[in-house]
Amino acid sequence: MMALSNSTSPWSTTSTMNIQVPGNMFRENGYNHLKSQFGFPPNNVGGTISQYVYYTRANMCQWGSQGGFDPREKGPFILLIDRSDCAIPKQVRYAQFLGASAVVIADSECFCADKECLEYCYPRDGSNMCNRSDRCWTSPPNLADDGSALDVTIPSFLMNKLDAFKLKQTLQGEGRRHLNSQPVQMDLTWSLGNANGNDGRVQYDLWTSPTDLFGNQFIETFRPIANAFGSQATNFHPHMVLINGTRINCNAKDMGCYICDSVGCKSQCSNGGRYCASKPSDSKQTGISGVDIVRESLRRMCIWKIHGRTCIWKIHDRMCIWKMHGKEDSDNGNVWWDYVHVFLSRCFTWELFSDEDCIKKSMDRVGVDASRVNQCMKDSGDLKMDSPNTMLEFELAAQRDNGVVQFPTLQINGNVLRTKLTPSNVFHAICDAYDIGSKYKPGICQQCSSCFGDKAVLKCVEDGVCTGPAFN
């Protein structure tokens, strides 16, 4: 059954898709599409591909399944394929193997709010113009990394069903002889996106863990820049990466797994095996446990909830609605950054990682009310109860919907930054994500735009002028 919805448009705003040839297919505002969250070249925060498009009917799910498509002598090309039953990263990987520069996936269904697509593909006379079923999507498909796409380095885009149907007609022509078929040249452009459509600020999200050595190093070095950006220019949100204990049967009581701890669930997981973390490989049996990491993760989430701006995640739009906690002139969670800094300097050892006295002194040092944090942890569902914790459930859902499979990971306006996480790289990427002439773009972006390297950028952010190495 077709279930119509009042959902808002799901289409990407951080990329464009348009057709240059034939000229009558060019659209002033481009074609509706979704950009995948995987497969972009390393160190590439934006780019454009302009190539001819070829179409294959093959499902692209198995090696040798290209269905007669021969990429030889075609030169660089964009490959148009149909959405199939296998994972999208698998399809794109195969297209990459065949030599495609980019992939456009023809959606198999209309979006329920797309009346034009529905009326064309499924007219009232009962005919089916676009093939496949008469279903429609109430929410857009998830184009995040499923954990297998780290080797995919070409961009991919999901095209609106109706537009893809007409594009295939143009490429294939009519009948078996493909009469009136025409070549198609397509432009695909992507970037980290413009400033968050909710309020004009740039949104950046850090996915990490309390024992993430690389993430901790980034937090320590980037802290002055985060403080300088502040909430007037950016929306920052930290996320704690967890392991879903349900997926690894740690909460399957009938197996006796959690109770007897035969596979380590009891020491690694909280809430009856629901939320887990891997202990550091050098902590042995007497070191930091997974439960300790989950507890510190929840504590940091509560500190952020009290002192920062909370992201209410809009799954379909891959954006946040920001809810302010505390003062309206929030400092973008500087207290959170300061707490992590003090915790790392005082408590980041085997002996003190879960020491309540060390943790409380760290919170006191930066002005965090420990009683409020403890109450927040308890109100969310605590960790000792055999029941869900609302805050940890939120993190697992956001982690899944964003396709986060490694940490640290940093997203800017919902797009993964595919470069080394250094203060300089992240600073320039955030500054580049503002709209031209944006009133929210902080002055330090202009003052330090020519600075090159971490030391020069950090010095410039502090002094307001670039005196170190600079780009030519």
Side-chain angles (χ1 to χ4, degrees):
M1 291 294 294
M2 191 176 296
L4 295 179
S5 168
N6 294 322
S7 301
T8 57
S9 172
W11 308 119
S12 292
T13 59
T14 61
S15 57
T16 59
M17 172 187 291
N18 218 331
I19 294 175
Q20 300 293 336
V21 177
N24 62 354
M25 294 189 72
F26 177 84
R27 289 186 182 176
E28 190 67 29
N29 297 316
Y31 285 78
N32 289 336
H33 67 283
L34 286 173
K35 177 169 62 68
S36 68
Q37 299 301 310
F38 64 90
F40 292 88
N43 302 319
N44 190 342
V45 296
T48 297
I49 290 178
S50 181
Q51 300 292 347
Y52 282 97
V53 180
Y54 294 92
Y55 170 62
T56 176
R57 294 176 179 271
N59 62 25
M60 303 297 285
C61 290
Q62 296 178 350
W63 297 111
S65 67
Q66 62 262 38
F69 174 75
D70 187 354
R72 291 176 295 182
E73 299 182 3
K74 295 187 183 301
F77 61 92
I78 296 170
L79 188 60
L80 174 66
I81 63 177
D82 292 313
R83 189 179 180 200
S84 188
D85 296 329
C86 66
I88 288 177
K90 186 174 184 179
Q91 291 184 284
V92 177
R93 179 185 293 104
Y94 192 21
Q96 175 178 289
F97 173 77
L98 293 177
S101 301
V103 175
V104 173
I105 304 160
D107 201 356
S108 56
E109 313 296 344
C110 297
F111 185 58
C112 290
D114 189 344
K115 293 183 178 180
E116 180 184 5
C117 182
L118 293 173
E119 291 173 357
Y120 183 91
C121 290
Y122 315 112
R124 294 183 179 180
D125 62 9
S127 58
N128 191 326
M129 297 294 294
C130 304
N131 303 322
R132 297 294 293 260
S133 69
D134 61 352
R135 297 178 302 165
C136 65
W137 302 122
T138 56
S139 60
N142 191 344
L143 297 182
D145 186 355
D146 64 354
S148 68
L150 292 178
D151 60 334
V152 178
T153 58
I154 62 173
S156 54
F157 305 79
L158 185 77
M159 192 177 194
N160 167 284
K161 177 177 181 175
L162 176 57
D163 293 335
F165 176 72
K166 294 179 178 179
L167 174 58
K168 286 185 280 188
Q169 285 184 319
T170 301
L171 289 167
Q172 292 181 300
E174 303 171 3
R176 294 183 178 180
R177 296 186 178 182
H178 305 293
L179 299 177
N180 301 318
S181 63
Q182 299 181 66
V184 173
Q185 179 190 339
M186 177 178 284
D187 289 352
L188 299 170
T189 300
W190 67 93
S191 69
L192 286 177
N194 297 323
N196 189 334
N198 291 314
D199 59 11
R201 298 171 176 85
V202 168
Q203 172 188 328
Y204 67 108
D205 299 72
L206 176 66
W207 300 80
T208 183
S209 171
T211 53
D212 173 14
L213 297 180
F214 295 106
N216 289 336
Q217 181 181 12
F218 172 75
I219 291 172
E220 287 281 66
T221 54
F222 193 75
R223 186 168 65 102
I225 298 177
N227 292 349
F229 275 141
S231 63
Q232 299 305 310
T234 57
N235 286 325
F236 168 70
H237 196 284
H239 298 270
M240 299 292 108
V241 178
L242 304 166
I243 297 173
N244 188 338
T246 302
R247 291 190 60 187
I248 55 177
N249 289 326
C250 269
N251 68 332
K253 306 303 184 296
D254 58 324
M255 297 175 61
C257 164
Y258 182 74
I259 297 175
C260 70
D261 202 25
S262 59
V263 293
C265 291
K266 188 173 183 180
S267 62
Q268 302 305 99
C269 307
S270 70
N271 298 82
R274 288 176 174 80
Y275 316 107
C276 311
S278 298
K279 63 182 179 181
S281 58
D282 59 351
S283 63
K284 308 299 181 183
Q285 298 299 318
T286 58
I288 303 168
S289 70
V291 175
D292 294 333
I293 297 171
V294 173
R295 183 180 297 105
E296 179 61 23
S297 296
L298 180 59
R299 181 178 294 110
R300 294 185 186 185
M301 292 168 61
C302 280
I303 291 174
W304 180 260
K305 181 177 180 180
I306 295 169
H307 292 276
R309 309 178 81 197
T310 298
C311 162
I312 301 176
W313 185 248
K314 297 173 64 180
I315 294 176
H316 304 333
D317 297 337
R318 296 185 56 78
M319 281 294 183
C320 289
I321 297 176
W322 293 93
K323 181 179 180 181
M324 186 74 74
H325 292 274
K327 298 180 180 179
E328 287 300 316
D329 58 344
S330 168
D331 55 8
N332 205 30
N334 288 358
V335 170
W336 182 89
W337 293 87
D338 294 341
Y339 166 75
V340 175
H341 166 70
V342 174
F343 178 90
L344 292 175
S345 63
R346 292 188 171 195
C347 308
F348 195 52
T349 66
W350 296 350
E351 298 83 6
L352 298 177
F353 187 88
S354 56
D355 182 83
E356 293 297 331
D357 183 60
C358 185
I359 292 169
K360 185 178 185 305
K361 288 181 178 178
S362 297
M363 288 191 283
D364 292 342
R365 176 71 180 271
V366 298
V368 173
D369 187 340
S371 62
R372 290 185 64 191
V373 172
N374 293 335
Q375 189 63 45
C376 167
M377 296 173 67
K378 182 178 179 179
D379 292 344
S380 67
D382 207 2
L383 299 176
K384 298 179 181 179
M385 303 296 293
D386 185 5
S387 58
N389 181 292
T390 56
M391 296 183 69
L392 298 181
E393 281 292 325
F394 170 89
E395 284 294 72
L396 282 180
Q399 183 178 320
R400 179 194 64 239
D401 294 331
N402 282 270
V404 175
V405 295
Q406 64 183 42
F407 54 85
T409 291
L410 191 127
Q411 293 175 308
I412 298 179
N413 292 338
N415 298 284
V416 176
L417 181 64
R418 298 185 180 277
T419 187
K420 185 177 181 180
L421 293 190
T422 65
S424 177
N425 288 343
V426 176
F427 170 81
H428 289 297
I430 290 176
C431 288
D432 289 344
Y434 285 96
D435 294 324
I436 297 176
S438 170
K439 66 178 182 179
Y440 292 104
K441 190 171 185 177
I444 56 173
C445 284
Q446 180 65 33
Q447 296 159 0
C448 307
S449 61
S450 62
C451 279
F452 173 76
D454 294 341
K455 290 183 179 180
V457 169
L458 289 167
K459 181 67 173 174
C460 180
V461 168
E462 180 181 354
D463 298 339
V465 59
C466 184
T467 57
F471 295 106
N472 293 327

